[in-house]
Amino acid sequence: EHPKMPPDVQAGRVTPGFPSLELGQLTLRDVRITHENAAEGEVRELTFAEVNGTAKRREPLQLFLEGAIQRLPYRATMKGGSLEALLEGDSAWPLDLSIEAVGGSLRLAGTLDNPLTVRGFRLDIDLQVPNTEALASNLGISLAAPHSLALRCRIKGGEGLYSLEELAGTLDEARFEGRFSIETSGVRPKLIGTVRIPSIDASSFFQAVEDVEAPPGSQPVTREQRASALVKADNRQKRRPGRWDLDAPFLTAAPLGLFDAGIKFSVGAVVGASFSLEDAWLGVNIADGKLTAPMAVKLAGVPFKGEASLGNDAGVPGVRVSLSALGSEIGELAKLLVEA
């Protein structure tokens, strides 16, 4: 007579090899980790002012961290499911991770399917950086606009299909929205997406250009002076060492054979400029190693349509561009060009 099998084996379920693993209480204070790179003269430091956590078999995981990275303070909180649910992997495992650092915050909340193998996931993301200048200053880098960033989205993935949905955010005062997905189960990865910006306020940009061109008390910059300055700036760029290699190919379509794509970028309107720009959009389509980019824009009341393409023709990369505004009155556009 065979011995009686445990109930979980009878049900076709294998008990994990370490079901009794638990962390009753973890507490650390004033821990410092330093890494010194003598060759480059760099010293990196990670400190844990406080670490508290528990990871019990049938209770939710909890972990709290507070400290500094390169003297930049951070706080992190992580909440998850139980260790038993993690090891069994037969149900979605909840995860909630929050990080606050350098005046910004990041939160990821959702579930992981079979988290030990990461077969699938669903996470809501909330990123808030109210002052990018403070972030750049603390990191010791130079960061151009925007001065603030906010982003919310949902990412999902599994079985060769990954998506970023319900994307919405702001760059300073400009709002944007969109969605992306990537499929990896085909011959080549395929990226599909849309990004839309309802309105862009360009008044600060044009004001900055005017301030640079004509400082207070100076004479207005003529068209010839502006053109001369652009030529000089271009020449300085070309003379920089390592910028240009005449023997190296400057145009190649080889990367286009690595993936397929269909992406559309659109802007509803640009306000605050001396001209009107509306209904602008650009498509980026990549298939079989060729790129086509249809485009359209209404500039100063004149609608333009066109297309650019890049691909190999008999082994030689080639670019084609077409742009037209057939059958349209160009009164406002002509005025803009004359005054430019």
Side-chain angles (χ1 to χ4, degrees):
E1 182 179 359
H2 294 287
K4 188 175 181 180
M5 301 180 69
D8 57 347
V9 177
Q10 293 180 25
R13 177 172 151 195
V14 179
T15 302
F18 36 94
S20 60
L21 178 64
E22 276 194 356
L23 180 62
Q25 180 68 45
L26 171 66
T27 303
L28 297 173
R29 287 187 175 88
D30 299 324
V31 177
R32 178 175 301 174
I33 300 175
T34 303
H35 174 262
E36 183 175 355
N37 187 332
E40 300 182 4
E42 291 184 348
V43 178
R44 300 187 180 277
E45 185 177 84
L46 170 64
T47 63
F48 298 97
E50 182 180 355
V51 178
N52 285 299
T54 60
K56 297 184 178 181
R57 183 176 179 181
R58 290 189 174 89
E59 296 181 15
L61 177 148
Q62 297 187 50
L63 181 63
F64 171 79
L65 304 174
E66 184 173 15
I69 302 176
Q70 292 295 86
R71 299 184 180 180
L72 301 178
Y74 71 87
R75 291 167 58 94
T77 302
M78 177 179 172
K79 298 179 181 179
S82 67
L83 281 182
E84 185 175 68
L86 174 69
L87 298 175
E88 291 175 353
D90 56 1
S91 61
W93 197 73
L95 175 67
D96 192 332
L97 174 64
S98 298
I99 301 174
E100 298 178 7
V102 202
S105 65
L106 171 66
R107 183 182 181 190
L108 292 84
T111 58
L112 307 178
D113 299 332
N114 200 340
L116 294 183
T117 58
V118 195
R119 292 182 179 176
F121 57 89
R122 178 190 177 99
L123 295 171
D124 291 331
I125 298 178
D126 187 340
L127 174 64
Q128 304 289 329
V129 185
N131 190 341
T132 60
E133 293 176 336
L135 174 64
S137 176
N138 281 301
L139 295 178
I141 61 176
S142 177
L143 188 65
H147 302 298
S148 64
L149 166 66
L151 181 149
R152 291 185 177 89
C153 64
R154 173 173 295 166
I155 58 173
K156 298 192 300 184
E159 305 298 331
L161 180 62
Y162 303 88
S163 63
L164 186 154
E165 303 174 350
E166 302 177 25
L167 172 64
T170 58
L171 295 172
D172 289 339
E173 300 299 324
R175 295 186 297 110
F176 61 89
E177 55 196 33
R179 58 180 294 137
F180 288 92
S181 67
I182 182 168
E183 186 175 352
T184 60
S185 59
V187 177
R188 291 183 298 273
K190 185 173 183 180
L191 175 64
I192 302 294
T194 61
V195 177
R196 173 172 170 76
I197 302 176
S199 177
I200 296 178
D201 187 350
S203 57
S204 58
F205 170 78
F206 285 98
Q207 184 61 51
V209 171
E210 292 177 2
D211 292 343
V212 171
E213 291 183 343
S218 65
Q219 296 295 322
V221 178
T222 65
R223 186 184 307 174
E224 291 76 12
Q225 289 173 324
R226 186 184 298 116
S228 176
L230 291 174
V231 171
K232 291 179 180 179
D234 185 57
N235 289 337
R236 286 195 300 270
Q237 180 76 6
K238 291 179 180 179
R239 287 197 299 268
R240 290 182 179 178
R243 290 289 182 178
W244 298 96
D245 184 356
L246 298 180
D247 295 326
F250 66 94
L251 181 63
T252 175
L256 300 179
L258 302 177
F259 64 98
D260 294 339
I263 307 174
K264 184 176 180 180
F265 304 91
S266 63
V267 177
V270 174
V271 299
S274 58
F275 56 89
S276 64
L277 191 154
E278 305 170 276
D279 301 329
W281 63 268
L282 169 68
V284 177
N285 303 316
I286 300 174
D288 300 324
K290 296 182 179 180
L291 180 149
T292 57
M295 63 191 76
V297 63
K298 183 180 288 187
L299 177 62
V302 179
F304 288 87
K305 291 184 179 180
E307 183 177 274
S309 63
L310 171 64
N312 284 323
D313 187 3
V316 179
V319 177
R320 295 181 177 87
V321 179
S322 64
L323 188 65
S324 65
L326 299 177
S328 302
E329 297 182 1
I330 62 169
E332 290 298 322
L333 179 61
K335 182 180 178 182
L336 172 64
L337 296 175
V338 169
E339 294 178 348

